[in-house]
Amino acid sequence: CTSLFDPDNPSSTYQKVHVHCLNPKAITQNQLYGSFDEITREWSDGIAAEEIRTSARDSANPDHHWVMFDGPVDALWIESMNTVLDDNKKLCLVSGEIIALSAQMRMQFEVEDLEVASPATVSRCGMIYLEPESLGPQPLFDTWLSKLPETFSFQPDIQSKLRQYCQDLLPDSLGYIRKCCKEVVQTQDTNLI
């Protein structure tokens, strides 16, 4: 949406998109949603609660907010999302606070599998499955090129040479590995790039 945004037309269907990304398995559930301090009995917000609240407060702004949970699914944190994913679209915190999602907000889950997610959670989500083989190596390489340090932007010929080398050498190299080498651990082509 952001690339289609027209600054001259504020009522356009396409608005800027702010992506709030976090890995829910990198932190505890208390750090994710919030918790009461056992000594002072004061509530402290978690990272997800704060991101969702901040995005919901921005409802007057036409910009879209995507809260992305990028990491493995855990039965504990994903079940707390059921009220967000159903028609209510509200995050219910242990403190009793309820944060309603605005119309411009979306929740995204980028996960490897849904092995521990309940059928109730899975039925509330739209799924897009991308096989690694169908993507091929080009998206990985393009992303890597776009993240090169600033020094490469001063010499565009280096970037074009890197692109050409990868287009010429990667397919043959991967083919050689698949036909002539024995892997100790099975890999996908994207793992080797």
Side-chain angles (χ1 to χ4, degrees):
C1 286
T2 301
S3 62
L4 298 174
F5 172 65
D6 180 10
D8 298 330
N9 183 6
S11 62
S12 170
T13 304
Y14 304 106
Q15 298 295 327
K16 288 185 181 177
V17 176
H18 305 278
V19 180
H20 311 276
C21 189
L22 58 116
N23 182 345
K25 285 294 284 182
I27 54 178
T28 65
Q29 188 162 359
N30 288 344
Q31 293 170 329
L32 185 63
Y33 294 114
S35 64
F36 282 107
D37 186 296
E38 293 183 17
I39 298 169
T40 64
R41 302 299 296 159
E42 289 182 0
W43 174 259
S44 60
D45 272 334
I47 296 170
E50 185 62 32
E51 291 288 347
I52 293 171
R53 182 182 295 109
T54 302
S55 300
R57 281 188 191 143
D58 197 24
S59 61
N61 189 343
D63 293 357
H64 294 275
H65 290 270
W66 295 354
V67 181
M68 181 182 292
F69 291 82
D70 186 3
V73 173
D74 180 283
L76 294 174
W77 73 261
I78 195 69
E79 291 304 319
S80 300
M81 282 289 170
N82 282 343
T83 57
V84 174
L85 299 173
D86 66 12
D87 292 339
N88 295 328
K89 295 185 181 179
K90 295 178 180 178
L91 176 64
C92 301
L93 301 175
V94 176
S95 65
E97 181 183 6
I98 298 173
I99 304 171
L101 273 65
S102 67
Q104 295 89 356
M105 290 179 64
R106 300 291 182 266
M107 305 295 283
Q108 292 184 351
F109 303 95
E110 189 168 328
V111 299
E112 185 175 333
D113 60 50
L114 295 170
E115 191 173 313
V116 296
S118 70
T121 302
V122 174
S123 68
R124 289 178 168 97
C125 297
M127 305 292 162
I128 300 173
Y129 176 70
L130 299 173
E131 292 179 341
E133 296 84 19
S134 65
L135 289 175
Q138 197 61 41
L140 288 174
F141 185 68
D142 290 341
T143 302
W144 177 70
L145 276 178
S146 70
K147 304 271 185 201
L148 286 175
E150 250 181 56
T151 53
F152 285 94
S153 62
F154 295 116
Q155 297 183 352
D157 60 318
I158 293 176
Q159 192 171 8
S160 65
K161 285 181 184 178
L162 282 172
R163 180 179 299 282
Q164 189 61 42
Y165 291 152
C166 283
Q167 288 174 348
D168 293 344
L169 299 175
L170 272 178
D172 293 338
S173 299
L174 291 172
Y176 177 81
I177 290 170
R178 296 290 174 225
K179 289 181 181 178
C180 302
C181 298
K182 183 176 180 181
E183 293 181 306
V184 177
V185 177
Q186 185 179 3
T187 61
Q188 301 286 335
D189 288 349
T190 53
N191 300 121
L192 298 174
I193 297 174

